Amino acid sequence: MRDAPNSRRKHYRRVQLDTSTRVPKRGSGSSHATHGGRMDRPALPRDHSGRRTPQRPLFLDRRDAGGRLAHRLLAFRGPDVVTLGIPRGGLAVAHEVAASLRLPLDLVVVNKLRVPHRPDLAFGALAENDIRLIDEVVVRSAMLTATELTDAKRHGRDRLHRLCQRFRKHDTQAELHGRTALVVDDGVRTGITARIACQAAYQRGAVRVVLAVPVAPHRIARTLTYYADKVVCLETHAQLRPVDQSYQRFDPLTDADVHELLHDDTVSAIPVSRSRPTAHGAAAERQVAE
């Protein structure tokens, strides 16, 4: 198992976070913008007693989120762009993006490594093609032993292998060499899944990676700009909260749903393998992408 490549750090100085404008919700004309690197956030509504009340869901469902996200990604339509959904929920959002922009749709399979006895806390993640990401801060704070780390990694690799077999079956990965990858999820909470998904896209040969999500915590969205060339996020909030709170309907997806989305006729066929560019050619393509 290889650690995620550090060579992508040369992308850091040119990454962007696109949250300057947002597509208004139905029946709402509100918006927020950045001023001097700071994002203005609308205050929470208050009831008659002056106490803050929770905001209403931002999206009707994943299809609604994907359609609004596609509107922000119009500039990325092209023959060398591939949409990568993070299953399961992220694939539903990615499908709507791919169908709206007439782009190929593929997936990037990711599995979180969770702290024993704390299933809500992840200390790392694994992705296809032997990509591994470990959060040493969480490992130290959870006081994980070497045995616990080894067991968790082994179980994580086994589960990742099973997920790949279930989701891909006889399908092959889309060719990403020399192309732009749109990595799409249905939301971000801690960011570890999005981080390793972007690194997996680079590992597969993408010359440019754009992370597109409907919602994320503001601080995490800023951090994710170190892992992709551009981050597109429709809505940000100040605190960590479950992704499902941003949706009115957040139904789970089955394996059959994943297979149906991947083989839907409304999305373009995935690109087949082609000759990989040389080092000089890849550098020239990166300059064009910039």
Side-chain angles (χ1 to χ4, degrees):
M1 184 72 67
R2 299 190 302 272
D3 290 325
N6 293 325
S7 60
R8 298 301 170 189
R9 294 184 181 274
K10 60 188 176 183
H11 291 272
Y12 289 6
R13 58 178 177 274
R14 58 184 175 86
V15 294
Q16 303 174 46
L17 172 63
D18 183 359
T19 55
S20 57
T21 59
R22 71 180 185 184
V23 181
K25 293 178 291 184
R26 292 192 182 102
S28 172
S30 62
S31 63
H32 59 258
T34 56
H35 299 281
R38 178 181 60 85
M39 180 176 297
D40 294 334
R41 306 181 189 89
L44 287 175
R46 298 175 183 269
D47 60 14
H48 64 279
S49 64
R51 294 177 300 182
R52 293 189 174 187
T53 58
Q55 289 183 323
R56 293 179 298 175
L58 302 171
F59 309 102
L60 297 178
D61 51 21
R62 294 185 181 93
R63 184 175 182 180
D64 175 42
R68 292 166 59 183
L69 198 57
H71 181 78
R72 291 278 294 278
L73 296 171
L74 291 174
F76 295 99
R77 288 182 295 184
D80 286 334
V81 181
V82 178
T83 309
L84 298 179
I86 303 177
R88 291 186 174 87
L91 189 63
V93 180
H95 174 270
E96 194 66 26
V97 172
S100 299
L101 304 183
R102 304 300 298 175
L103 296 175
L105 175 64
D106 194 16
L107 50 82
V108 52
V109 184
V110 174
N111 181 45
K112 288 183 178 179
L113 298 175
R114 302 187 182 277
V115 175
H117 313 299
R118 285 288 308 274
D120 60 319
L121 181 62
F123 70 88
L126 305 174
E128 297 174 282
N129 302 326
D130 296 333
I131 305 299
R132 178 179 62 187
L133 177 65
I134 303 298
D135 191 330
E136 298 294 344
V137 175
V138 176
V139 171
R140 290 193 297 269
S141 63
M143 295 183 290
L144 296 178
T145 65
T147 301
E148 289 175 330
L149 282 174
T150 301
D151 291 343
K153 292 175 183 178
R154 184 179 67 254
H155 292 315
R157 286 193 298 269
D158 293 342
R159 185 171 187 273
L160 178 66
H161 180 68
R162 293 195 300 268
L163 290 175
C164 291
Q165 289 183 323
R166 288 160 54 183
F167 293 151
R168 290 199 179 277
K169 295 184 179 179
H170 302 294
D171 298 333
T172 58
Q173 293 182 348
E175 178 62 49
L176 296 184
H177 282 272
R179 294 186 166 94
T180 294
L182 297 183
V183 178
V184 182
D185 204 355
D186 55 5
V188 168
R189 186 168 183 264
T190 63
I192 195 165
T193 299
R195 287 165 55 186
I196 195 169
C198 290
Q199 292 171 343
Y202 281 125
Q203 183 69 24
R204 287 169 58 177
V207 295
R208 190 182 190 194
V209 173
V210 178
L211 175 63
V213 293
V215 62
H218 183 79
R219 179 179 60 84
I220 301 298
R222 291 289 181 187
T223 301
L224 290 173
T225 60
Y226 291 96
Y227 297 88
D229 295 284
K230 187 177 180 67
V231 176
V232 178
C233 182
L234 298 180
E235 303 277 354
T236 62
H237 44 78
Q239 298 178 341
L240 294 178
R241 63 185 183 188
V243 173
D244 61 350
Q245 291 185 5
S246 298
Y247 290 84
Q248 184 173 330
R249 293 193 302 272
F250 200 71
D251 301 327
L253 270 67
T254 64
D255 292 351
D257 294 330
V258 171
H259 185 269
E260 181 179 352
L261 291 172
L262 286 174
H263 296 86
D264 187 51
D265 294 335
T266 59
V267 298
S268 302
I270 63 173
V272 296
S273 178
R274 65 184 184 186
S275 58
R276 298 185 179 182
T278 62
H280 176 75
E285 289 190 53
R286 289 191 182 95
Q287 291 179 0
V288 173
E290 294 175 13

